[in-house]
Amino acid sequence: MEDNIIPILMFGIPSLILLIGGVNGLIKNSVIKKNGIKTIATIIDRKLYTEKDLEYGDRTSTYPVVEFRDTSGNKIVQELGQGDGSYMIGQRLSIIYLKRNRSYKIVTNSNLFLVRFPLGMAIIGLIILSTICYFVITN
């Protein structure tokens, strides 16, 4: 057991983070979907972020900046925290927003980001944790 503590920690901590992050994402998205307001936003810009990775090379993520009007008629411009990279400026996008205090929580009205992505994270984390637990119990 003591010989295996480093691999257990190396895989256990990230898998626990995946599991918790996936469950947290599902909960947050379900609250926004249940209590939020559906509307159509227009993509007015795209933000590109490049992540440096020595093993796989640079990876670029694209996040849309959307503009929409809330129920009070205020024009809201905000960058989405999710994106699939295929968004074009001028494209209309179905979103769900929830106003909390002075900020807006926005998600796209897409099963990929509302359900599939967080659920996938949680399942992968659970599988890795289960494998680690099985390994620890059998040794």
Side-chain angles (χ1 to χ4, degrees):
M1 174 71 182
E2 289 147 9
D3 297 339
N4 300 324
I5 194 74
I6 291 177
I8 290 171
L9 290 176
M10 274 179 36
F11 292 103
I13 292 173
S15 62
L16 190 61
I17 291 170
L18 274 174
L19 177 64
I20 292 170
V23 170
N24 189 31
L26 283 170
I27 292 169
K28 283 182 179 178
N29 289 345
S30 69
V31 167
I32 293 173
K33 189 173 181 178
K34 179 181 175 187
N35 301 320
I37 299 167
K38 292 181 182 180
T39 190
I40 303 294
T42 303
I43 298 173
I44 60 170
D45 196 7
R46 297 179 336 153
K47 297 287 184 179
L48 301 174
Y49 296 100
T50 303
E51 298 175 21
K52 303 263 187 222
D53 190 335
L54 297 175
E55 187 175 340
Y56 298 107
D58 295 349
R59 291 187 296 169
T60 302
S61 300
T62 306
Y63 298 104
V65 177
V66 297
E67 175 181 281
F68 66 96
R69 296 210 178 263
D70 65 7
T71 55
S72 303
N74 300 317
K75 183 163 67 167
I76 310 300
V77 175
Q78 187 168 325
E79 178 182 339
L80 296 183
Q82 58 194 24
D84 62 7
S86 65
Y87 296 119
M88 308 266 300
I89 295 176
Q91 179 182 349
R92 297 178 61 77
L93 182 66
S94 179
I95 63 167
I96 303 171
Y97 73 91
L98 182 62
K99 186 175 182 180
R100 290 260 168 104
N101 300 324
R102 294 181 182 190
S103 67
Y104 290 84
K105 303 290 183 194
I106 302 173
V107 294
T108 60
N109 193 10
S110 158
N111 273 343
L112 174 64
F113 292 110
L114 287 176
V115 178
R116 292 181 187 163
F117 186 70
L119 186 61
M121 284 176 51
I123 289 172
I124 290 170
L126 187 61
I127 289 170
I128 296 170
L129 276 176
S130 299
T131 305
I132 291 170
C133 289
Y134 175 78
F135 179 73
V136 168
I137 290 170
T138 57
N139 286 342

